[in-house]
Amino acid sequence: NVIVSKHADAMEAYPEPNILPREESDKGEAKMLSDIVPCIMEQNDFEHTYSEAEWQKGKTGTGVYKVVWDKNKLNGLGDIGIDRVNLLNVYWEPGKADIQKSRYFFHTELWDKDILQQKYPELDGKLKGNDFVSTKFLYDDTVDTANKSTVIEVYYHKYVQTRQTVQYIKYVGDVVLYDTENDPELAQRGLYDHGKYPYVFDPLFPIEGSPCGYGYVDLCMNPQTE
């Protein structure tokens, strides 16, 4: 009942973008962004993503968003993509309360081997076993991972001419699918101009030394047992 009630409160307080200028010369840009950002959120069906993250936040203590540039959107033109992330699929340096201070940040995802080979022909004949499988939630259904491989995305910071950049590697097994440092356009610039990992952690009750937090299950379980 606590979780349902708090989720309803969160949906009633659904955030609306209000972009304010930092100085007089920013007024035009702030007005333009105030028109653009709601449109981007609408195209991403952000209200549904926000709802899922709030369920995740209430139960497990932390909602996680991934905000990236998706080059496949709009028939190849590309646009911003916003998704909720399964907390069990991401990894960071232990003891860091801010993921931006983590040396590396990993995001894993299971893919069907035949789909991977269609998308990346260089993997043909190289997908044998699955060396790494993330922790999974306990499902009622049996989840078969025999014909799947784990694709690992790695983000890390690197200083280029004293400027902090965010670099990116995508690989499966021992085959590198993409590396920004091997891309002439991005090697010096980094994946994103802001130089940050494209993930946002939203903890409910923060924990010292962790980007995650406690949820209502953590707080209510023992009193309810008593």
Side-chain angles (χ1 to χ4, degrees), residues 32-45:
M32 182 173 65
L33 286 172
S34 294
D35 294 332
I36 292 172
V37 173
C39 182
I40 291 172
M41 294 173 78
E42 183 71 28
Q43 288 178 343
N44 279 281
D45 193 13

Side-chain angles (χ1 to χ4, degrees), residues 18-75:
N18 184 22
I19 315 296
L20 300 175
R22 290 182 178 178
E23 55 185 21
E24 193 71 26
S25 61
D26 290 337
K27 280 189 174 180
E29 190 171 359
K31 185 178 184 307
M32 182 173 65
L33 286 172
S34 294
D35 294 332
I36 292 172
V37 173
C39 182
I40 291 172
M41 294 173 78
E42 183 71 28
Q43 288 178 343
N44 279 281
D45 193 13
F46 181 70
E47 188 168 356
H48 175 69
T49 305
Y50 173 78
S51 173
E52 285 190 323
E54 286 300 320
W55 282 122
Q56 184 184 36
K57 185 176 169 182
K59 290 184 290 183
T60 65
T62 315
V64 186
Y65 299 94
K66 180 180 182 180
V67 187
V68 296
W69 179 259
D70 186 347
K71 64 181 181 181
N72 297 317
K73 281 196 166 187
L74 303 179
N75 296 321

